[in-house]
Amino acid sequence: KAGVTQTPRYLIKTRGQQVTLSCSPISGHRSVSWYQQTPGQGLQFLFEYFSETQRNKGNFPGRFSGRQFSNSRSEMNVSTLELGDSALYLCASSFNSGAGGYEQYFGPGTRLTVT
Amino acid sequence: GDSVTQMEGPVTLSEEAFLTINCTYTATGYPSLFWYVQYPGEGLQLLLKATKADDKGSNKGFEATYRKETTSFHLEKGSVQVSDSAVYFCALSANFGNEKLTFGTGTRLTIIP
């Protein structure tokens, strides 16, 4: 089975611009979560989508948004980029592994640099 | 709120040494606990997990036991290899159906031949 794919892998944007990142989950996985990884703040949860609905949201400003399509693919958008948005953005898809709960599988990430 | 406290790094060991990376957590209810590993330039890989007290997760020679009484989930390996060099993250998921992972700060492990 193919893993989680994220596009693009690298992105350079200028302050004030907006950006859209894409994530294709593992086939059959219906939940997609997004995380931001920075050296200073570590790994922080952005939001989670299940069946096209946002089910959970982290503590990020409204400039960060996302959506999920009927094929479970997901996008996240960041508007009015700030220097502090430079980070590795990770997408994870998950399934219910039965009595053991959920397991999240991560993509390679999109490295966003804001200049 | 939920939190994970992880042993500060970096950790440097010689090949075949014994590894312990400490992890403690704070959470309401009965969280699931995970260890993830991140190799340079890559995303996170699930290494092992445990979903209830006294469960032991194991994979690739790594083990961790869910200790509710000490709220801990320490990662151990009996004999490390150079290929184990990576950053290790302890994480928890608070409730079934709430898949938000709360991560520790990560521990960078370097194994010297």
Side-chain angles (χ1 to χ4, degrees):
Chain A
K1 236 183 212 184
V4 178
T5 57
Q6 292 186 245
T7 57
R9 290 293 310 277
Y10 302 92
L11 206 49
I12 299 175
K13 290 287 188 178
T14 304
R15 267 180 303 176
Q17 289 186 315
Q18 68 94 26
V19 67
T20 299
L21 312 181
S22 181
C23 171
S24 292
I26 293 171
S27 177
H29 289 194
R30 295 171 63 191
S31 170
V32 173
S33 299
W34 289 89
Y35 295 83
Q36 182 196 63
Q37 185 177 25
T38 60
Q41 299 297 316
L43 280 153
Q44 294 186 287
F45 173 78
L46 279 155
F47 28 65
E48 183 230 343
Y49 287 86
F50 181 84
S51 292
E52 303 179 63
T53 300
Q54 187 179 87
R55 190 160 67 170
N56 204 356
K57 189 177 189 304
N59 188 26
F60 277 81
R63 300 185 297 107
F64 291 82
S65 63
R67 59 178 176 168
Q68 187 180 33
F69 302 95
S70 57
N71 61 359
S72 294
R73 190 177 70 83
S74 177
E75 290 180 346
M76 67 163 282
N77 184 275
V78 188
S79 62
T80 319
L81 284 165
E82 300 177 0
L83 293 178
D85 298 333
S86 295
L88 181 66
Y89 289 88
L90 293 164
C91 167
S93 73
S94 64
F95 73 104
N96 188 335
S97 56
Y102 292 87
E103 296 181 2
Q104 292 196 26
Y105 293 85
F106 285 79
T110 294
R111 171 77 60 188
L112 172 65
T113 302
V114 182
T115 63
Chain B
D2 299 335
S3 67
V4 176
T5 301
Q6 196 173 331
M7 175 176 169
E8 292 289 330
V11 173
T12 302
L13 295 172
S14 298
E15 205 167 19
E16 299 184 2
F18 184 86
L19 168 71
T20 299
I21 301 177
N22 291 335
C23 171
T24 57
Y25 67 90
T26 301
T28 54
Y30 302 94
S32 293
L33 302 173
F34 305 85
W35 277 100
Y36 280 86
V37 58
Q38 187 174 34
Y39 297 100
E42 298 184 14
L44 302 175
Q45 295 180 23
L46 177 62
L47 182 59
L48 54 83
K49 70 171 187 179
T51 58
K52 60 183 187 296
D54 300 325
D55 263 3
K56 177 186 282 189
S58 61
N59 186 25
K60 299 181 181 179
F62 291 90
E63 293 182 338
T65 301
Y66 189 143
R67 301 288 188 199
K68 194 170 189 306
E69 64 276 13
T70 54
T71 60
S72 65
F73 192 55
H74 304 321
L75 182 68
E76 297 182 335
K77 187 175 185 183
S79 176
V80 293
Q81 305 300 313
V82 172
S83 58
D84 294 327
S85 298
V87 181
Y88 292 80
F89 293 92
C90 184
L92 70 80
S93 175
N95 296 296
F96 286 1
N98 177 355
E99 300 190 46
K100 167 189 171 182
L101 284 170
T102 299
F103 287 92
T105 53
T107 301
R108 182 175 299 278
L109 173 67
T110 302
I111 307 301
I112 299 171

